[in-house]
Amino acid sequence: MSGSAAAIAAHRDGALRRGAGLVRALVRRHPRPFIRAVLSAAVFGSATVASSWALGRVTDKAIVPRFSTNRIDWGAVLWALAVLIGVGMLRALAVVARRSNASRTQMRVEHSLRLDVIDHYHAQPLGWFDRHPTGELLARAHADAEAATQVLGPLPYASGVVVLLVVSTAWLLVTDITLGLCAVALFPLLVAINVIYQRQVEPAADRAQERIGDVSAVVHESLDGIMVVKAFGAEARETERLAVRARRLRDSQLEVALMRANFEMFLDGVPALATVALVFGGAWRVQSGAMTVGQVVAFVNLFTLLVWPLRLIGFVLGDLPRSLAGHSRIVDLLGGFVPPSALAPIAEAAPGDAATLVGVTFSYEPGRKVLHDLDLVIPAGRTIAVVGATGSGKSTLLSLLAGLHVPDQGTVAVAGGTAHLVFQETFLFAESVRANITLGLEISDGELWDALDAAQASEFVAALPDGVATELGERGVTLSGGQRQRLALARAFVRHPKLLLLDDCTSALDPTTEGRIISALDARRIETTTVMVAARPSTIAVADEVIFIDHGRIVGHAPHRELFDQFASYRHLVEAYERERSERP
């Protein structure tokens, strides 16, 4: 065997072997409905052969005698009807059982795959999502899970075809060895056409599946940033960006469709020509007295019935490349996850401390440190302001304290082992106000309204059409920026955190409302320590201590007045904040 021929054979064998492994892995999840589907398909295959045999007997017993004797044998007719109806009903019941159980298997396995993907998503640190586009993640959970299970639909039928082929081959050869050999010789040819198609279509199916993820990523990004697109008149740019990726997907899918069309042409043409040949061959065998008319009718009918089941083998082999591509993408994604056991949990802070950092270094990308060797102790019951220029590492520090990122080096300890972070950009779900605040937490109405009061949100929530039961639009689009921020604050307050982290989350509030929220936080300082990124001098002034960050390093940690007198860079930053506030209309 030449090197290229060996490579082709190895590729084919490898694909079929991987396909068998894929089927085992998928069926193992929900074996019972799959077994029922396969058994039903086997009954259907046997009944199909029986129907052809019955049709031949009816022809010889009821139809041919009518032409030779010119009279009807009603007993033979009733017997023929009973046989045909009985076999037909058995086939129909087998079809219903096969299809329902095959669909049940496919849907259950697809559901299980999606749950696995979503569960693993939830287990990953925030930094992992920074490296994976949302559109790609959606494609893995939806399109790839659907593609991976595509093969399970026709597979039970195809397995029943194996039974059908074995039984029909035996019956054809027993009935007439000459004509039987001619018919059976076509089976390997049809299988060979299927195998060749499967080998050729697999690379094209892989490309098409990958490009579905590309299109999903662009669509999601464009819709997510629709306000920016509209505000800057970038509709044409986004349309072209999507069009480029959509054309690539179209080309890949057309390539697969063209291969499938050629495959189906051969799969239809070969059996049709074979049927014509069987009719001529059967007529010759009847003329020679080797076969009866009924046997020829049964021959042709059986071969005609075999064409569709043989196509099912083609469907399995045709769906197999797409299923392999979808499943391999899911497996690769799951294999690339950080196992939950590998994530360093946040340690418990020492008594009297709300949080401590020891030798903490962090980077989003290798070689580009964002935070450098941080050592920090935050006493319990204090209000701490974090101040620094844009890009100094303020938000990253809060993410580390919240456990959303894992430090490259060093340790993070937090009172109670957990902290609650309110982000600068508020995210609200398209659910009720209550659902957005509780997020599944069981609380009383009194606790809910206490949190809304502390967040200065009770007045506008009470004015909503249905109060806390009011359904919000997607991302809370029906609310103003300040209202969304206050609901996010209430979401944190209702959980009574020991450490509350505020990432400049009052930026959309007026100074009066912000002052009331700070006062509410001050009243809770016995149970809650607050660390907040601050840019307003009024907010900085009420803090017990200020953490001054510059280029990822803690330059100072002291009361505001002490840092103001000691560090010129801090003083210039605060004065810039003052000027900005005074220049606003």
Side-chain angles (χ1 to χ4, degrees):
M1 180 182 293
S2 66
S4 59
I8 293 174
H11 175 80
R12 180 190 62 199
D13 294 341
L16 294 176
R17 186 165 54 252
R18 286 187 292 116
L22 167 66
V23 171
R24 285 195 299 270
L26 296 177
V27 170
R28 196 179 297 126
R29 293 172 174 268
H30 298 281
R32 291 184 179 178
F34 182 79
I35 292 173
R36 290 195 294 266
V38 169
L39 292 177
S40 301
V43 171
F44 174 83
S46 301
T48 298
V49 178
S51 67
S52 293
W53 170 84
L55 183 61
R57 297 290 293 174
V58 167
T59 301
D60 286 338
K61 295 287 186 180
I63 298 176
V64 172
R66 169 68 178 82
F67 290 100
S68 60
T69 63
N70 200 27
R71 65 183 182 85
I72 298 176
D73 186 347
W74 289 106
V77 170
L78 293 176
W79 173 85
L81 289 175
V83 170
L84 290 176
I85 292 173
V87 173
M89 290 183 63
L90 181 61
R91 291 183 68 207
L93 291 174
V95 168
V96 171
R98 186 199 71 240
R99 289 184 176 176
S100 60
N101 282 288
S103 298
R104 189 175 291 113
T105 303
Q106 185 175 351
M107 294 301 104
R108 287 181 179 178
V109 174
E110 185 177 330
H111 179 255
S112 298
L113 281 177
R114 285 183 174 150
L115 286 182
D116 284 351
V117 171
I118 297 302
D119 287 344
H120 278 80
Y121 283 171
H122 289 162
Q124 301 316 301
L126 187 61
W128 186 88
F129 292 92
D130 295 337
R131 301 187 297 273
H132 293 80
T134 304
E136 177 190 342
L137 299 181
L138 290 174
R140 299 293 173 95
H142 177 66
D144 288 340
E146 180 182 0
T149 58
Q150 199 74 33
V151 71
L152 293 179
L155 184 59
Y157 195 175
S159 65
V161 171
V162 175
V163 175
L164 175 59
L165 289 176
V166 172
V167 176
S168 60
T169 297
W171 183 80
L172 289 171
L173 294 175
V174 168
T175 303
D176 187 82
I177 188 68
T178 303
L179 208 58
L181 286 174
C182 294
V184 171
L186 292 172
F187 295 164
L189 176 60
L190 294 173
V191 172
I193 293 173
N194 282 302
V195 171
I196 293 171
Y197 164 73
Q198 185 271 333
R199 186 179 69 231
Q200 292 179 343
V201 81
E202 184 177 5
D206 286 341
R207 286 192 296 272
Q209 201 64 27
E210 289 174 2
R211 289 173 180 174
I212 289 175
D214 294 340
V215 171
S216 298
V218 174
V219 170
H220 180 272
E221 191 173 41
S222 296
L223 294 177
D224 208 34
I226 190 65
M227 294 183 68
V228 175
V229 173
K230 289 290 186 182
F232 289 89
E235 294 91 344
R237 172 189 177 274
E238 288 303 297
T239 300
E240 178 59 24
R241 197 159 69 101
L242 176 60
V244 169
R245 287 163 175 78
R247 282 193 293 267
R248 292 173 184 169
L249 174 60
R250 177 202 62 193
D251 293 343
S252 294
Q253 291 183 328
L254 283 176
E255 182 182 5
V256 174
L258 182 61
M259 289 183 181
R260 185 155 201 159
N262 290 330
F263 162 67
E264 292 185 358
M265 176 186 69
F266 282 106
L267 206 60
D268 282 338
V270 171
L273 293 175
T275 300
V276 173
L278 284 177
V279 170
F280 280 102
W284 169 68
R285 297 295 286 172
V286 169
Q287 188 176 17
S288 65
M291 296 180 68
T292 66
V293 174
Q295 288 175 329
V296 173
V297 169
F299 249 78
V300 174
N301 178 71
L302 180 58
F303 198 82
T304 303
L305 293 177
L306 280 174
V307 173
W308 173 249
L310 284 171
R311 287 179 64 108
L312 261 294
I313 294 180
F315 289 162
V316 171
L317 294 176
D319 288 332
L320 188 58
R322 184 166 179 254
S323 293
L324 283 170
H327 190 258
S328 65
R329 280 164 56 84
I330 291 177
V331 170
D332 289 345
L333 189 68
L334 298 181
F337 281 179
V338 180
S341 59
L343 303 181
I346 297 179
E348 177 76 38
D353 292 336
T356 57
L357 282 75
V358 179
V360 169
T361 296
F362 177 79
S363 58
Y364 290 102
E365 299 176 2
R368 299 181 61 184
K369 292 183 180 179
V370 178
L371 298 177
H372 306 262
D373 301 320
L374 300 190
D375 291 309
L376 177 65
V377 177
I378 300 176
R382 311 297 289 273
T383 298
I384 310 294
V386 181
V387 178
T390 301
S392 59
K394 305 184 297 296
S395 297
T396 303
L397 172 61
L398 265 61
S399 291
L400 287 171
L401 289 170
L404 298 180
H405 288 98
V406 180
D408 301 334
Q409 297 175 3
T411 59
V412 178
V414 172
T418 185
H420 289 84
L421 172 60
V422 182
F423 298 93
Q424 181 179 12
E425 296 183 4
T426 302
F427 185 91
L428 296 178
F429 296 91
E431 295 185 273
S432 68
V433 172
R434 184 186 186 97
N436 268 284
I437 294 173
T438 61
L439 294 181
L441 181 68
E442 296 293 334
I443 60 171
S444 65
D445 289 342
E447 291 175 294
L448 178 64
W449 284 103
D450 284 345
L452 290 170
D453 284 337
Q456 302 298 301
S458 56
E459 184 176 345
F460 87 80
V461 169
L464 293 174
D466 298 311
V468 294
T470 301
E471 295 288 327
L472 304 179
E474 186 178 3
R475 293 178 176 268
V477 70
T478 55
L479 303 178
S480 69
Q483 289 172 331
R484 291 196 295 270
Q485 285 189 337
R486 281 178 276 174
L487 290 185
L489 286 166
R491 180 189 289 167
F493 290 162
V494 82
R495 285 162 170 77
H496 305 286
K498 291 185 177 181
L499 179 60
L500 177 62
L501 309 170
L502 307 179
D503 187 5
D504 199 17
C505 62
T506 58
S507 58
L509 304 179
D510 61 86
T512 302
T513 302
E514 183 186 34
R516 291 173 182 167
I517 292 173
I518 297 299
S519 297
L521 289 172
D522 191 60
R524 292 168 172 246
R525 67 167 57 217
I526 295 177
E527 66 177 25
T528 302
T529 300
T530 303
V531 178
M532 54 185 177
V533 172
R536 287 177 174 170
S538 57
T539 306
I540 297 172
V542 300
D544 299 312
E545 301 172 3
V546 176
I547 299 172
F548 178 38
I549 296 183
D550 187 24
H551 292 91
R553 301 182 186 276
I554 296 179
V555 178
H557 181 193
H560 164 65
R561 177 49 57 182
E562 184 177 330
L563 292 178
F564 192 86
D565 295 337
Q566 184 177 358
F567 296 101
S569 56
Y570 178 80
R571 183 166 57 253
H572 294 157
L573 187 62
V574 174
E575 289 172 348
Y577 291 155
E578 285 281 6
R579 286 194 300 273
E580 181 185 3
R581 183 179 67 84
S582 62
E583 291 171 359
R584 289 178 181 173

